[in-house]
Amino acid sequence: MAGRRHHYLPQLIQRPFAFRQSGKEFYVRAYHRTRGRFTPNTAGLGKELDFYGGPEDTSLDDAMTSGEGELAKVVQALNRGEHPSPIEMATLVCALAFRTKAMRDALAGMMPAIVSALRIKVLDISRIRRDLLASLNDPKERKRQIFQAIDSGPPQSREQRAKAYAALLPAWKKYVSAREDELVGQAWATASLVMDKIRSEATNMAQASYLEVLSRDPTVPARARKLVEEMVFTVIQAPEGQSFILGDCGPVARFSDGKSRLVLGAVNQDADIEHIFLPISPSRCIHARVPSSTWWPSAAEINKISASLSVEFFISDRESGEDLEALRESIGTLDPVDSEEDIIQELLDQAE
């Protein structure tokens, strides 16, 4: 166990950006969305209390910590100019992509949109009317409702219940027709209460889902294998006089619709990942791309994507620069997946 303050941006990826080392302590230049520039120790940067769960269950944090040794070896090998296998690079990308605060917040942000889309569907009055009437006129449901009404009165024998059912059955359609608006209104009100409760708990639901998915395997091996099958992995060198930054979002991606998002993916089913970038030092960046893509981004373009998709800060090896201040101002300006409006519309379109 590494304590209750957990790194969502692990030190193994921060340390290559350090401008100073003192023993086992590494210091970086961090550019924060609200705090400006400061020079923290990586031991305290990119951490949050109980990020991977509380002290009652440390299994996920323990698993994350134990797996960092192999990931660190890949980062170190790449920064020595060696050539780890594509699956090792893909595993590093996937392990860092899903564990960040940016990814958790993105999932939490998606949940209200998903609930809103569901609410629109569920509370469609014409749909409620159609489904309710179909249900009430279903033979099994009709029988259940009639016997429920019979049993709400005085106790009766089996024969008496059967006679009562036979007497009431012919009047069922008339009963439903007469009370149609009232029944539909009751069904809508009940559904609305349920959806309001779900919406109020959406963030907690998203957090629980995030931890559940992450606990299955912190390195997400299936996703790593899929990336290797679909993409070519290389390492980009920063041109002389330029350098990469590391955003607190970790890896970032560019999609076939021209938008940049987190590696999680797009809600739009027609938007596929074409590029993934993970800076591993000021001079090196892992680049995965689909073979058909001909777009070759500059270091400045990669940096803009990383900063814009970050939640709070990015790290640079440089002490100052107009471009760094511009990047700091761009922190959090891109939707990590899609806007809430786009998510709602896409989900509604998919449900048609």
Side-chain angles (χ1 to χ4, degrees):
M1 180 179 176
R4 292 187 60 184
R5 288 182 57 79
H6 307 152
H7 273 99
Y8 57 81
L9 187 68
Q11 293 190 80
L12 67 93
I13 197 69
Q14 293 189 50
R15 285 172 174 169
F17 290 82
F19 71 93
R20 180 168 69 88
Q21 179 180 354
S22 177
K24 294 184 178 181
E25 296 182 341
F26 294 77
Y27 294 86
V28 294
R29 295 186 175 99
Y31 290 78
H32 195 275
R33 180 173 53 86
T34 58
R35 293 175 57 186
R37 184 178 69 84
F38 61 111
T39 55
N41 187 327
T42 59
L45 183 65
K47 300 179 79 171
E48 188 171 295
L49 182 68
D50 296 334
F51 188 83
Y52 300 117
E56 67 281 356
D57 182 5
T58 64
S59 58
L60 179 54
D61 182 46
D62 293 342
M64 303 296 288
T65 302
S66 66
E68 288 183 354
E70 292 302 313
L71 299 179
K73 290 179 183 178
V74 177
V75 173
Q76 293 162 6
L78 288 167
N79 282 323
R80 289 194 300 266
E82 299 173 10
H83 303 283
S85 66
I87 190 62
E88 289 176 307
M89 288 191 281
T91 298
L92 174 65
V93 167
C94 290
L96 297 184
F98 205 76
R99 66 179 288 179
T100 64
K101 183 175 182 179
M103 183 63 78
R104 187 195 66 180
D105 289 356
L107 292 174
M110 284 179 63
M111 188 61 76
I114 293 172
V115 174
S116 294
L118 182 61
R119 181 186 177 90
I120 291 172
K121 281 292 182 183
V122 169
L123 298 184
D124 183 320
I125 197 70
S126 61
R127 180 186 295 268
I128 289 177
R129 185 180 299 275
R130 183 192 66 212
D131 293 347
L132 178 64
L133 294 180
S135 172
L136 291 174
N137 288 298
D138 176 76
K140 290 184 178 180
E141 177 62 17
R142 182 175 59 204
K143 184 176 182 179
R144 188 190 70 80
Q145 292 270 3
I146 292 175
F147 273 118
Q148 185 180 49
I150 293 170
D151 293 338
S152 66
Q156 300 184 53
S157 67
R158 183 175 180 180
E159 291 75 13
Q160 289 173 323
R161 292 175 77 246
K163 288 180 180 180
Y165 176 80
L168 289 172
L169 184 58
W172 178 253
K173 287 188 177 179
K174 183 178 179 180
Y175 166 79
V176 171
S177 178
R179 297 190 61 200
E180 180 179 326
D181 289 343
E182 178 186 350
L183 294 170
V184 170
Q186 290 174 353
W188 187 94
T190 300
S192 180
L193 286 173
V194 171
M195 295 309 303
D196 287 346
K197 182 174 178 56
I198 292 175
R199 173 108 193 186
S200 69
E201 298 176 355
T203 300
N204 290 337
M205 292 166 59
Q207 171 73 354
S209 299
Y210 170 79
L211 294 177
E212 180 182 354
V213 171
L214 193 56
S215 65
R216 293 174 188 171
D217 194 319
T219 60
V220 199
R223 180 59 174 160
R225 289 192 295 269
K226 189 172 187 295
L227 290 182
V228 170
E229 292 171 0
E230 298 176 349
M231 310 185 84
V232 177
F233 280 78
T234 58
V235 175
I236 301 175
Q237 297 281 339
E240 185 176 353
Q242 300 181 38
S243 61
F244 296 110
I245 66 169
L246 173 67
D248 65 13
C249 55
V252 295
R254 181 181 169 93
F255 288 72
S256 56
D257 61 359
K259 293 184 178 180
S260 298
R261 303 176 176 90
L262 298 180
V263 181
L264 169 68
V267 176
N268 183 353
Q269 295 181 339
D270 296 326
D272 299 316
I273 292 180
E274 290 192 341
H275 296 265
I276 295 175
F277 306 101
L278 174 59
I280 53 173
S281 75
S283 61
R284 291 182 172 89
C285 176
I286 292 176
H287 178 204
R289 65 178 180 86
V290 294
S292 59
S293 176
T294 58
W295 181 62
W296 292 97
S298 66
E301 288 174 306
I302 296 172
N303 288 344
K304 182 62 180 294
I305 296 172
S306 293
S308 300
L309 286 171
S310 291
V311 177
E312 295 178 340
F313 68 89
F314 64 80
I315 297 170
S316 173
D317 68 327
R318 290 184 291 140
E319 188 171 6
S320 61
E322 291 184 5
D323 61 320
L324 292 175
E325 185 56 30
L327 288 172
R328 189 182 72 82
E329 292 178 356
S330 72
I331 292 174
T333 55
L334 283 181
D335 291 313
V337 180
D338 279 310
S339 69
E340 182 169 345
E341 293 77 12
D342 288 343
I343 293 172
I344 292 172
Q345 189 58 55
E346 182 65 26
L347 293 175
L348 291 175
D349 292 343
Q350 292 176 17
E352 291 296 335

